[in-house]
């Protein structure tokens, strides 16, 4: 069976999902929300537990339940491993692990939990490193469900993802559960992903390394949603929150791409007073932000808001008065996290507000310009940010599908990476359909989606922006690195890729072992 | 039939309610929350409507539905009358009117709506003036349901009160529905009551007189919960928000009571560093706040938080450093409203956070000292804040039942008011059970609830606080004004009084007409 995007999805999977991917334009629907089961607290009972174990026991966590974590602490997270160690020790099995995402620091623990049956199901934004290898080589019986940051709150609100117990690391809390992430030893700014879990999980356990007197303010997660609080030595290493993400690139190719991205934005009809943008992270994205800032300063253009996972350079724009508001669902470095505590116009938003297609209007609906990355982009502008050139899981959907709803969605990517082409005939895994991509920017030139005739007409007249067809770019890439051997997969599905509306968009299959190929 | 409080409630009412009032101590329960039906918005559709009528039409409001309003603008509210005028014109009938409370400025419109069948059911915190007279004299077929500010969110979350369309006046909003009450022409500080409606109503319509560019921050009500925005000429007269509530008394009797209340607090075991309090409004309450401030300053005692409907004098304590945090579910004057915009430690909380007994812990659970008023208090310490000496509805539960859960609940009231005794043998209407009242303070002395042997032992040894039994105070009152004629009621019930857990606590009956008495 092939779905509308010509992805090969077995009919059994289409049946299971009921919703097959239809379109990147979603029609209004009326949806009955679900809600948690709340165990009421009607007195001053101290919610403070002596240990993680005591909190887990009181929560009633048992075999077969669903647990969640946030990934705000990224590679500096100490919460996941601490909690899972206790759960394993307690012998609780067959859990569904439903974090907002999984970072490398969690990988070994997840693998051990799968091996001993503690975890039998996973849903995540993505996975990388050893865990990606493990899953792609068939390490788990049940396929992983991959959801974007906007699709996750949608699934939670609709009841498709019912969280029994949420374990949420917070940089500060009082003993009744009022928490924020702007004060403490391990500040990370916005609790955007965690806020959704706190609101919808039946039981909510906070872990903090900075307990303060009641009542703690400002309140990002309120006492009304929290069952237990556990004080731990450390929730994380704040120096590792932004590891890798916020380094300013010196790579000439990346700088060249960044400059071209800036050129595309500046010459587009969206670059005017009050425009809005999401630049994302990574060296090239930070360079775009810097180049854009100069243009804004020069042309006296002020943005209404900047969105997404926020970094220090975006906060600098706010402080320079080049951006009116910064909306943070997540902060990628200390500078951004500290800005949230200090700057009135840096506003914490939750993941539903950010990108959920099933509320009364997410902020991505208002977005003018989004700059996104790609591992692969094909001649239909379909993008893969999930599987590598070896077919192995090594990425995350993040907000990719969600932010691609912007009026001008730009994919910023090198034509090739080493011996591996970025522009291909068919993406290995479809994450964001080409219908929602407008422009590809590479170091050699740009390609505009043929459906955007308006943009083609504009950029034809701008000599400093060399425009190619996407097929031309694909051929240029092929010329450099040749035609790669087709990847070999087994029939076994290791992951489902959902579109942001919860429909099934693609599947990831187990990679063929070298031994198998030979036999 | 009499319930446990010996109130005469017909068995048909007890059957309808299922839950009969049991105790002021509520046990933990696990409750399945309900949730709204959400009509999704997946694009940049302008939610801005040209008129209230257009918004109502789009909302799908029809006969038999439930509509809500907040009462943050109090006697300065222009929203209710504007909206109801349009609803009447549109001919929509048999609505349930479920505001957080009803103020006098709404009375004539409500009466007209009842008369022409626009409104057939009402649930409110209370009612006063002409509307109270109208209802108490049998003006509506169906009994009004009276709920405290904590009970209302409980009823909403449990589905007992399902709001179809909420009409919420906001001092500022953008055209996508991000709203707050700290910026604009008619600022009123906290949107505490409105936030619950925004979260749970199927359709949410904002009315604002100060539309600002997207995205409006800080965000009290988020775009994710808002269907439509209507710009109106004025949502209210901010000068009338605090009318009456914030006048500082010069009445010597009130000042005497206030001083005694202060004495009781100061000599209680709760007056120590980190204590918390709710003083409420009215001249005497403001005097208590002022007297308390001097004692706190002198004895170097700092409160952890002040709670409730906040007034300027409480904000002054925050600015003087005598209170760490102020938690505002509502603001009663301009000073308090403006403080919220300016002061980091003045935190907006919603009505659920304030007092809801069915979440994971409301702030009233943490309250040390509450000072409350009474129209009547009887020899069992039961309090009536709802019906007057003529048996007519002229009050509101407000947070009375909720804040009475404090460790030290003080009723501050004169022994008599004119010819009318405050301390009586039996309250006309039971609003807050005596079990949750600790001390009555009058101008002649105090009475301590016999169940508080600890407090009796303490105050026996403090000569400047004259302690009487409540029976002695009742007799003193009787000596001054004599024994009033017993009130005459018909059998017809005009209002149900719920306790904060939704159980039926008492009923209010239709008053007998003078003509009837003669015949």
């Amino acid at each position: 069976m092939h779905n509308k995007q010509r992805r090969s999805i077995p009919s059994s999977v289409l049946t299971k999902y009921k919703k097959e991917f239809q379109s990147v334009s979603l029609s209004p629907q009326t949806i009955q929300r679900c809600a948690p089961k709340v165990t009421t607290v009607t007195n001053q009972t101290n919610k403070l537990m002596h240990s993680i174990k005591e909190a887990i026991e009181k929560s009633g966590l048992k075999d077969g339940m669903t647990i969640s974590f946030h990934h705000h602490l990224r590679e500096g997270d100490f919460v996941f491993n601490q909690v899972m160690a206790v759960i394993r020790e307690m012998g609780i099995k067959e859990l569904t692990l439903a974090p907002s995402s999984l970072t490398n620091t969690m990988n070994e623990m997840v693998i051990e939990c799968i091996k001993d049956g503690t975890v039998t199901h996973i849903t995540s934004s993505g996975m990388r490193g050893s865990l990606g290898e493990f899953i792609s080589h068939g390490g788990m019986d049940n396929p992983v469900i991959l959801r974007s940051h906007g699709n996750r709150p949608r699934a939670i609100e609709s009841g498709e993802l019912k969280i029994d117990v949420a374990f949420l690391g917070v940089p500060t809390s009082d003993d009744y559960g009022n928490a924020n992430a702007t004060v403490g030893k391990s500040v990370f700014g916005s609790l955007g992903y965690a806020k959704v879990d706190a609101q919808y999980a039946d039981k909510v356990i906070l872990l903090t390394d900075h307990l303060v007197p009641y009542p703690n303010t400002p309140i990002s997660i309120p006492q009304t949603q929290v069952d237990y609080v556990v004080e731990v030595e450390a929730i994380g290493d704040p120096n590792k929150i932004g590891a890798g993400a916020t380094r300013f690139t010196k790579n000439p190719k990346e700088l060249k791409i960044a400059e071209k991205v800036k050129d595309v934005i500046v010459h587009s009809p969206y670059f005017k007073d009050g425009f809005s943008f999401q630049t994302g992270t990574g060296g090239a994205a930070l360079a775009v932000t810097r180049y854009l800032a100069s243009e804004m300063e020069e042309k006296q253009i002020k943005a209404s808001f900047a969105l997404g996972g926020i970094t220090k350079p975006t906060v600098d724009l706010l402080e320079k008065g080049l951006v009116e508001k910064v909306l943070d669902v997540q902060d990628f470095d200390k500078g951004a996290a500290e800005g949230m505590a200090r700057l009135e116009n840096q506003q914490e938003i939750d993941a539903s507000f950010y990108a959920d297609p099933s509320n009364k209007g997410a902020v991505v609906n208002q977005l003018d310009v989004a700059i996104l990355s790609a591992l692969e982009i094909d001649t239909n502008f379909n993008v893969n940010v999930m599987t590598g050139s070896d077919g192995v899981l090594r990425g995350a959907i993040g907000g990719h599908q969600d932010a691609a709803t912007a009026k001008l969605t730009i994919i910023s990517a090198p034509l090739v990476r080493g011996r591996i082409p970025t522009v291909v005939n068919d993406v290995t895994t479809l994450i964001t359909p080409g219908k929602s991509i407008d422009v590809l920017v590479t170091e050699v030139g740009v390609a505009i989606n043929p459906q955007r005739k308006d943009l083609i007409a504009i950029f034809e007249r701008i000599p400093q922006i060399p425009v190619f067809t996407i097929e031309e770019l694909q051929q240029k890439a092929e010329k450099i690195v040749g035609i790669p051997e087709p990847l070999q997969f087994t029939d076994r599905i290791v992951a489902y890729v959902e579109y942001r509306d919860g429909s099934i968009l693609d599947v990831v299959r187990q990679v063929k072992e070298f031994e198998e190929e030979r036999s």
Side-chain angles (χ1 to χ4, degrees), chain A:
Chain A
M1 282 281 299
H2 288 76
N3 72 359
K4 298 220 159 153
Q5 293 292 310
R6 303 192 40 74
R7 310 306 296 181
S8 162
I9 301 173
S11 54
S12 63
V13 174
L14 292 177
T15 310
K16 170 186 139 69
Y17 257 93
K18 294 182 200 90
K19 283 199 293 188
E20 187 183 343
F21 172 76
Q22 298 289 333
S23 166
V24 297
S25 319
L26 307 177
S27 310
Q29 285 181 282
T30 297
I31 298 169
Q32 176 61 54
R33 285 255 173 105
C34 76
K37 270 200 200 74
V38 169
T39 301
T40 65
V41 176
T42 52
N43 55 30
Q44 205 178 356
T45 313
N46 199 330
K47 298 179 183 178
L48 198 62
M49 299 288 110
H50 293 99
S51 65
I52 294 172
K53 188 175 177 186
E54 187 188 2
I56 294 174
E57 283 169 351
K58 287 246 169 102
S59 77
L61 182 68
K62 53 175 198 271
D63 293 3
M65 281 187 168
T66 297
I67 58 176
S68 79
F69 298 85
H70 67 68
H71 72 293
H72 286 290
L73 281 156
R74 303 184 72 80
E75 298 304 341
D77 186 277
F78 292 172
V79 170
F80 179 79
N81 290 335
Q82 283 183 82
V83 170
M84 292 312 296
V86 178
I87 289 176
R88 287 180 76 194
E89 194 186 287
M90 291 172 73
I92 302 169
K93 300 288 179 190
E94 294 180 27
L95 295 173
T96 293
L97 181 61
S100 51
S101 199
L102 289 165
T103 57
N104 286 309
T105 189
M106 308 169 185
N107 283 353
E108 295 315 307
M109 177 60 84
V110 178
I111 292 169
E112 291 311 312
C113 286
I114 295 167
K115 283 182 176 166
D116 73 4
T118 306
V119 168
T120 51
H121 293 77
I122 295 176
T123 165
S124 177
S125 164
M127 50 182 58
R128 294 184 173 88
S130 57
L131 178 60
E133 293 280 352
F134 182 80
I135 298 291
S136 277
H137 287 275
M140 194 165 76
D141 287 345
N142 302 298
V144 168
I145 299 174
L146 298 167
R147 291 188 174 105
S148 75
H149 289 328
N151 187 18
R152 182 172 187 271
R154 185 209 58 76
I156 292 172
E157 288 162 0
S158 71
E160 283 168 36
L161 174 53
K162 170 75 218 160
I163 300 166
D164 294 298
V165 186
F167 298 91
L168 305 174
V170 292
T172 181
S173 177
D174 59 41
D175 64 5
Y176 217 49
N178 295 300
N180 68 58
T182 55
V183 179
K185 295 185 273 181
S186 312
V187 296
F188 51 80
S190 173
L191 272 162
Y193 304 123
K195 280 167 74 75
V196 176
D197 298 41
Q199 203 186 329
Y200 282 90
D202 283 351
K203 298 285 180 182
V204 175
I205 298 171
L206 299 187
L207 290 88
T208 190
D209 51 11
H210 187 61
L211 206 62
V212 295
Y214 184 89
N216 186 30
T217 62
I219 301 172
S220 288
I221 293 178
Q223 61 184 46
T224 53
Q225 298 175 348
V226 175
D227 295 276
Y228 308 109
V229 179
V230 186
E231 197 177 14
V232 294
E233 179 125 351
I235 61 163
D237 177 353
N239 294 315
K240 290 189 182 158
I241 297 176
T246 61
R247 193 180 22 87
F248 194 87
T249 188
K250 284 177 181 157
N251 177 325
K253 187 156 86 174
E254 285 191 339
L255 288 173
K256 202 169 172 187
I257 297 173
E259 191 150 15
K260 279 197 204 306
V261 169
K262 178 264 295 175
D263 285 340
V264 169
I265 295 170
V266 167
H267 290 95
S268 81
Y270 307 105
F271 189 64
K272 57 185 182 199
D273 227 35
F275 87 115
S276 60
F277 64 93
Q278 171 171 334
T279 47
T281 58
L286 295 195
V288 172
T289 306
R290 197 171 64 169
Y291 291 144
L292 204 53
S294 318
E295 292 287 330
M296 288 165 74
E297 228 161 357
E298 195 183 304
K299 304 207 164 91
Q300 298 270 308
I301 284 179
K302 191 168 185 173
S304 57
F305 69 90
L307 177 65
I310 301 299
T311 55
K312 178 73 166 52
T314 304
V315 175
D316 293 342
L317 295 191
L318 180 67
E319 297 209 81
K320 276 187 196 161
L322 293 174
V323 169
E324 292 272 2
K325 308 278 167 94
V326 174
L327 305 179
D328 307 47
V329 68
Q330 177 175 11
D331 293 290
F332 282 115
D333 57 30
K334 259 186 167 175
E338 286 166 4
M340 266 212 44
R342 207 175 72 238
L343 301 167
E344 204 185 358
N345 287 326
Q346 206 181 330
Q347 168 91 32
E348 180 182 49
I349 58 170
D350 66 32
S352 171
F353 191 108
Y354 170 51
D356 180 355
S358 80
N359 61 31
K360 294 176 181 176
V363 63
V364 290
N365 302 349
Q366 296 280 347
L367 198 56
D368 289 325
V369 178
I371 298 128
L372 301 170
S373 63
L375 290 173
E376 292 178 331
I377 179 165
D378 70 21
T379 48
N380 287 313
F381 285 85
N382 292 324
V383 176
N384 170 22
V385 288
M386 186 58 67
T387 48
S389 60
D390 51 0
V392 170
L393 292 161
R394 57 176 76 258
I397 307 179
H400 205 285
Q401 295 171 345
D402 308 304
T405 56
K407 294 189 193 68
L408 175 64
T409 301
I410 299 169
I411 298 295
S412 148
L415 203 61
V416 300
R417 288 183 175 92
R419 301 289 318 275
I420 299 155
T422 306
V423 191
V424 296
N425 281 317
D426 262 303
V427 286
T428 308
T429 306
L430 171 61
I431 297 299
T432 300
K435 282 263 182 206
S436 58
I437 306 299
D438 300 300
V439 181
L440 163 66
V441 177
T442 70
E443 68 277 26
V444 303
V446 311
I448 299 169
N449 192 323
Q451 76 192 357
R452 292 302 303 266
K453 294 192 174 52
D454 56 332
L455 292 178
I456 293 170
I458 290 166
F459 287 112
E460 270 177 355
R461 278 178 253 126
I462 298 164
Q464 71 263 46
I465 301 176
V467 178
F468 299 92
T469 66
I470 186 108
E471 289 79 8
E472 284 170 341
L473 290 182
Q474 185 274 324
Q475 283 148 20
K476 280 176 191 287
E478 196 175 296
K479 225 172 191 170
I480 300 166
V481 295
I483 301 174
E485 285 292 304
L487 288 173
Q488 299 281 318
F489 293 99
T490 74
D491 281 343
R492 182 148 173 265
I493 292 169
V494 298
Y496 301 129
V497 177
E498 291 189 2
Y499 188 58
R500 58 197 298 261
D501 65 349
S503 62
I504 179 86
L505 185 62
D506 201 356
V507 296
V508 180
R509 290 190 165 78
Q510 185 175 335
V511 293
K512 261 200 182 151
E513 303 303 325
F514 189 57
E515 291 78 2
E516 281 184 59
E517 281 180 67
R518 285 205 168 166
S519 72

